[in-house]
Amino acid sequence: MFRIERARDSQYPSQTLAAPQTVPSNSTVRTVLLSLALVAITFLIYLPCLHGGRILDDEIMFNALVQSPKGLFYIWCKAMTPDYFPLTFSSLWLEYRFWGENMFGYHVTNVTLHAISAVLLWRVLRALKVPGAWLAALLFAVHPVNVESVAWVSQRKNALSMPFFLATILFYVKSKAQDGNGKYYVLSLVSFTLALLAKTAVVPLPFVLLLIDWWQSKTAFNDDSSVKGSAGASPYRQQLMRVAPYVALAFIFGLITLWFQKHRVIGVEEVQTSSMAARLATSGWALWFYLYKTFVPFNLVFVYPRWEIEPKHLLTWLPLIAFVVIATVIWRWRQRLHAVIF
């Protein structure tokens, strides 16, 4: 009997030794196809900009540091650039080795970065279980407000920092979903550092992470603040501890930016001479202005005229007051709004 079974096994070796084949799941194929669709639509929309030339600040961006073979050293180690965006200037330095004065390659890079951002935005919204995540990413990809950041090569800092900004959030959410997975947490911190090196305007990101923690917490849409985390620790304390390294990075790069703005850009001149009250009132104007441009994207320009804000007039404060009132109403009705949306 033993000999017969051994003989049978030897006749069909492939059935006993062959490893099982891995077949891509439907969800993986769907993810790839939807990602490629976002990339294709993004390039289709931005085809007209690929043959654009230099405009406005492009002459400043393509300075001697970008063109010099030793430019990387000065970009990273010397205070010779208008702002400390070494990753952005390094990307231009590297591309200058390939494209030189031909702007086509730089435009392709910007569009590619924007397409990657659209895909990452979809993945972030999907990880947060936001309905209509792909449609939201598609709207981001084609929205006219983003044309400045994509079609204007000088705005490489926006196009380059955005993918790292979104990657930071995506890895952070994945780390939380896997009970504080160290690998994803480190990748999130690395992504945030790269985003800061591309453009330090991403310093508010730690507050975004705190909002995500609040959004995902069980107490986000109710008034029960007595929920405790593991080992009796407050969940809010755990959230703050998770976000603390991001705050430290943002603080350090914020100080670097302040130094560059004072010594490299502003110098003895002041960009903003208005009072603190005027700046506070302006924040309300800016909020509604950009919301308006988001929903009614007409008459868009690269640089808008400066507003004249008079804090002594009551009408000046109405936009900010309206925002505070609406935010308060949304907070009071957050449980019902959450139930309606989800």
Side-chain angles (χ1 to χ4, degrees):
M1 190 69 178
F2 174 76
R3 293 179 180 177
I4 294 175
E5 298 218 0
R6 287 291 301 267
R8 288 176 179 173
D9 291 342
S10 63
Q11 292 176 11
Y12 306 100
S14 60
Q15 295 181 6
T16 57
L17 300 177
Q21 296 182 352
T22 302
V23 179
S25 63
N26 291 335
S27 61
T28 301
V29 173
R30 180 175 179 272
T31 297
V32 171
L33 291 178
L34 289 176
S35 299
L36 291 176
L38 282 175
V39 173
I41 293 172
T42 301
F43 268 89
L44 180 63
I45 291 296
Y46 281 97
L47 276 178
C49 82
L50 295 182
H51 296 282
R54 295 187 181 185
I55 54 175
L56 299 177
D57 291 347
D58 285 346
E59 295 297 335
I60 299 176
M61 295 296 288
F62 289 90
N63 51 35
L65 297 180
V66 170
Q67 300 178 25
S68 171
K70 299 181 179 180
L72 281 181
F73 171 77
Y74 296 105
I75 288 171
W76 285 89
C77 303
K78 298 290 184 179
M80 300 179 65
T81 53
D83 283 293
Y84 192 66
F85 302 154
L87 193 61
T88 295
F89 282 104
S90 295
S91 70
L92 295 175
W93 181 91
L94 179 63
E95 286 189 81
Y96 191 82
R97 272 53 263 163
F98 292 95
W99 325 127
E101 300 292 333
N102 187 346
M103 300 302 292
F104 176 79
Y106 304 99
H107 286 298
V108 170
T109 301
N110 270 22
V111 177
T112 302
L113 290 170
H114 185 58
I116 293 173
S117 294
V119 174
L120 286 173
L121 178 60
W122 170 44
R123 303 304 295 170
V124 167
L125 295 177
R126 185 175 177 182
L128 293 174
K129 297 180 173 60
V130 176
W134 191 86
L135 290 178
L138 176 63
L139 179 61
F140 168 82
V142 304
H143 201 288
V145 167
N146 291 318
V147 170
E148 175 186 342
S149 296
V150 182
W152 188 5
V153 176
S154 289
Q155 296 304 310
R156 168 65 60 82
K157 52 194 176 184
N158 293 344
L160 183 59
S161 62
M162 189 63 176
F164 293 118
F165 180 95
L166 293 169
T168 301
I169 299 174
L170 182 60
F171 288 133
Y172 182 83
V173 173
K174 285 190 174 184
S175 174
K176 283 189 59 185
Q178 299 185 16
D179 297 325
N181 186 294
K183 179 184 69 174
Y184 285 126
Y185 186 76
V186 171
L187 287 173
S188 179
L189 284 172
V190 171
S191 297
F192 185 43
T193 303
L194 293 173
L196 288 165
L197 290 170
K199 186 177 182 180
T200 48
V202 299
V203 289
L205 180 55
F207 297 101
V208 175
L209 300 181
L210 286 174
L211 284 173
I212 290 173
D213 285 338
W214 172 82
W215 176 269
Q216 292 184 322
S217 68
K218 295 180 179 180
T219 60
F221 300 98
N222 57 61
D223 298 321
D224 183 11
S225 59
S226 61
V227 178
K228 298 293 182 180
S230 59
S234 168
Y236 302 113
R237 184 177 179 181
Q238 293 177 354
Q239 293 165 5
L240 290 174
M241 292 298 292
R242 274 198 304 268
V243 176
Y246 299 88
V247 175
L249 284 171
F251 180 76
I252 293 171
F253 277 89
L255 292 179
I256 294 174
T257 298
L258 288 175
W259 188 92
F260 267 79
Q261 287 290 309
K262 182 176 181 180
H263 295 89
R264 294 294 303 152
V265 179
I266 301 175
V268 296
E269 299 179 359
E270 294 185 18
V271 171
Q272 181 63 267
T273 59
S274 57
S275 65
M276 182 59 68
R279 300 183 192 186
L280 184 60
T282 302
S283 65
W285 285 57
L287 172 69
W288 292 109
F289 177 78
Y290 286 109
L291 279 175
Y292 161 68
K293 289 299 181 182
T294 299
F295 290 101
V296 188
F298 296 103
N299 298 322
L300 300 174
V301 296
F302 281 10
V303 181
Y304 292 97
R306 189 171 177 177
W307 298 320
E308 295 296 331
I309 303 296
E310 292 292 340
K312 296 180 180 179
H313 300 156
L314 178 60
L315 291 177
T316 301
W317 294 93
L318 285 182
L320 184 59
I321 294 173
F323 168 73
V324 173
V325 171
I326 293 175
T328 302
V329 171
I330 292 175
W331 173 259
R332 296 279 295 182
W333 290 77
R334 65 189 185 280
Q335 295 182 43
R336 296 188 180 183
L337 289 174
H338 180 262
V340 170
I341 297 174
F342 296 98

